[in-house]
Amino acid sequence: MIKVKYLAVLLLVIAIAAQWAVPLSMMSRREIALKRGTIYRFQTAPVDPYDAFRGRYVALSLSTRSVMTTNIFRKSEAIYLKLGTNANGYAIYEAAEFRPSKDGDWIRVSNSYGDHRRNLTGKQGGGATTNEAYTLYIEAPFDRFYMNEKEAPQAEARYNRTSRSPGGNTWVQVRVWRYIPVVEELYIEGTLVRELLEKDKEK
Amino acid sequence: MARKEHKWLLGELPVLVSEGTLDEQSAEKLRLKYGEDGAAAQRLSTGAIVVSVIGALLIGLGIIMMLAYNWQQLPRFLRIVLALLPMAVMQVLVVLGFARKWQSDAWREATALLWALTVGATVAMISQIYHISGNLENFTLIWACLIIPVLFFTQAVTVVGVYLGILLAWATTSQLNDGVGILFWPMAALVLWPLYKAMRTNIYGARAIWMQWLTALAFVAALGITLEKYVPGLWIVLYSSAFAVLYMFGGSRLAEPNSFWQRPLHTIGTGGIIILSYMLTYGWPWREIGWCYRYRGGRQVHVWAEWFDTTTVIVVFLFAIILLIALLIQKKKYHLFYGSMPLIAATGYFMVTCGERANDVSYLTAMLFNAYLFILGLATLVRGIWDRRLGAVNGGMLILILLIITRFFDSESGLLAKGGVFIVLGAIFLAVNLTFRKFKREVKS
């Protein structure tokens, strides 16, 4: 009987420990990234859907969507993307590899689109390569910027005005640390989205 | 026990005491437990549980919505504290409940439900604070894993419901995203432990009955969701076998006099067999099915999951056949009518699958199920009359009337003829009910 009670207490301790471990592990790596990570600016095209469980957010559609590579990745296989910047200072993907090298910043994403080049080699990814480089499309590693239900639609309206003009100056600031990208801020017309909305209110 | 059985037991007590089978003291104890006061206390306790669960659910959803508002004006640290606080509070309350040995079921159910909900809310809120994209598939799997200990520790009905619901959501999103939802089965099997404990405490108790309902419904839903669906029509054999297993297993485990509510497996099995048989009286389920029509709708193929489909169908079918043989040995003739559905469905499936004239044969299989459903309705009606159970009589008549009306509507008869048939069937229905009630009153008096 005593053993059963001890088992129940042990189970309770495990339950509580596991329930704290998951959010704490999610937080800790991102906190470090926000403090020590390298800053990259990804040019974006936001829209505004609704996620009932987590409130409203501005959906981010990145301008950088592909990379040239000779590597073939299976569906759901990890892709390491080397980050660089273009002439305008926006982030681009410079390479897609199975393993990251030590130079530069890399982010890890999952291959969402499957292996569409397997006919070239007869293999299904897993380290296979092709002779000629092809365009590998990448699903955005971050696709939302959470705001509260009042501000998200305003941000969307503001964006819609900006994005339709050529050379729309909209980006998301991301910090990258050990393959983890953490979204820090959203900029519309070169200004922090919250500051922009505040200015709109003052008008 | 249902109220009917309470009444019967109270009526038997004086006889048992006069025979000397039971002493007066024990009889009094039974009167207290099952008499009006006992029943009222039980109703009050059930009412308290229902009210506390609804309250907990509303509070939990309210907390989720308030946190989802996104208090971005607050510093990140404070938002993290707000996200973790509800889960921490619930953990403290559950520890208190455990220390006090769960003095009330209402307390146990409410705190357990809130605990399970706040765990999911915390993970979601942390994702919101750090703008983590994530997806429903990963989120539901993490949430389900994190509430497994809650399931074992509290053994609350509400957590069983939440856990199975989350698992079903995960399996559905996984299948829709070209994944495989087979992990549902080992994870859902964990529910058997609290179910076993609840049944051991009181097999007719509300906790055991509710858990059986939730588990059986999740089982039925998950069968369809987790199938790889690479061979069209396999669901016909699988679902007919599954419903027959529920019908026969549920019927054998619990005594006959219990109400439909107290026999969840049997009730779901009965309803499933009738509804599925009715669907199979049409031609459409039988067309273009079988191995020749293997497909995956352009989705990614998981070869081992295809094997899971075949194995599941074979295992569930064989289990149904074993139970059917057991019924034969026990000479429970009436149950054979319902229990034999998988055999008829499998026969139909092999008749239409891949043949050169498969579409012509599909007409025959539909006819076969028309005949089967007619016999099923007739058997239920006769059994109801034989046992003097108005519910069964009406059930049997409803099956027959549904079948006749549907087939008559399919025919090209005029409105006048159709109207006439409706009136005749309605009159028969009312006449049988009136006669049956009169007969029962006479027997009673």
Side-chain angles (χ1 to χ4, degrees), chain B residues 295-329:
Chain B
Y295 76 110
R296 179 68 184 168
R299 297 188 298 175
Q300 194 177 5
V301 177
H302 302 277
V303 180
W304 55 276
E306 292 181 3
W307 281 102
F308 170 79
D309 276 21
T310 315
T311 314
T312 310
V313 173
I314 292 170
V315 168
V316 180
F317 179 75
L318 287 179
F319 192 35
I321 298 302
I322 291 167
L323 289 174
L324 192 65
I325 293 168
L327 283 183
L328 265 172
I329 294 167

Side-chain angles (χ1 to χ4, degrees), chain B residues 172-401:
Chain B
T172 308
T173 46
S174 179
Q175 290 284 145
L176 289 175
N177 294 332
D178 277 355
V180 179
I182 295 173
L183 184 64
F184 172 90
W185 295 105
M187 286 187 76
L190 298 175
V191 164
L192 295 177
W193 172 250
L195 176 63
Y196 164 73
K197 295 280 277 183
M199 287 179 83
R200 215 178 65 164
T201 308
N202 180 5
I203 199 164
Y204 302 114
R207 278 164 52 75
I209 302 288
W210 269 104
M211 279 193 200
Q212 283 182 67
W213 273 103
L214 292 169
T215 313
L217 287 172
F219 165 75
V220 170
L223 272 181
I225 293 168
T226 58
L227 274 191
E228 190 69 357
K229 304 172 191 74
Y230 76 106
V231 176
L234 265 188
W235 63 271
I236 294 174
V237 183
L238 181 63
Y239 266 107
S240 59
S241 306
F243 284 132
V245 166
L246 288 176
Y247 173 86
M248 291 186 278
F249 193 68
S252 64
R253 183 67 191 86
L254 300 169
E256 279 284 309
N258 284 308
S259 66
F260 272 93
W261 173 250
Q262 287 177 310
R263 293 186 294 168
L265 308 189
H266 193 67
T267 305
I268 293 170
T270 310
I273 287 170
I274 293 167
I275 293 167
L276 188 60
S277 298
Y278 178 68
M279 282 168 66
L280 297 175
T281 60
Y282 287 92
W284 61 264
W286 301 103
R287 288 188 198 114
E288 294 184 1
I289 59 173
W291 281 269
C292 308
Y293 297 96
R294 269 179 97 225
Y295 76 110
R296 179 68 184 168
R299 297 188 298 175
Q300 194 177 5
V301 177
H302 302 277
V303 180
W304 55 276
E306 292 181 3
W307 281 102
F308 170 79
D309 276 21
T310 315
T311 314
T312 310
V313 173
I314 292 170
V315 168
V316 180
F317 179 75
L318 287 179
F319 192 35
I321 298 302
I322 291 167
L323 289 174
L324 192 65
I325 293 168
L327 283 183
L328 265 172
I329 294 167
Q330 291 165 11
K331 292 182 180 167
K332 290 184 174 176
K333 289 175 193 164
Y334 167 69
H335 293 297
L336 294 177
F337 286 107
Y338 281 84
S340 58
M341 191 199 177
L343 277 179
I344 297 162
T347 310
Y349 188 75
F350 283 104
M351 273 167 71
V352 293
T353 191
C354 300
E356 277 180 19
R357 299 181 63 192
N359 280 345
D360 298 338
V361 183
S362 72
Y363 175 72
L364 277 177
T365 48
M367 288 297 290
L368 179 71
F369 263 89
N370 273 288
Y372 172 66
L373 195 60
F374 185 79
I375 293 167
L376 209 60
L378 212 58
T380 311
L381 177 66
V382 171
R383 172 71 187 260
I385 294 169
W386 190 261
D387 289 351
R388 294 169 196 165
R389 280 164 52 197
L390 188 59
V393 171
N394 283 336
M397 284 190 24
L398 278 174
I399 295 172
L400 291 173
I401 287 172

Side-chain angles (χ1 to χ4, degrees), chain A residues 2 7 14 16 39 49 65 71 88-89 105 126 133 163 172 177 200:
Chain A
I2 295 168
L7 196 70
I14 292 170
I16 291 173
I39 293 176
R65 292 174 188 180
N71 294 323
N88 297 323
D105 289 307
S163 62
V172 62
W177 180 78
D200 281 354

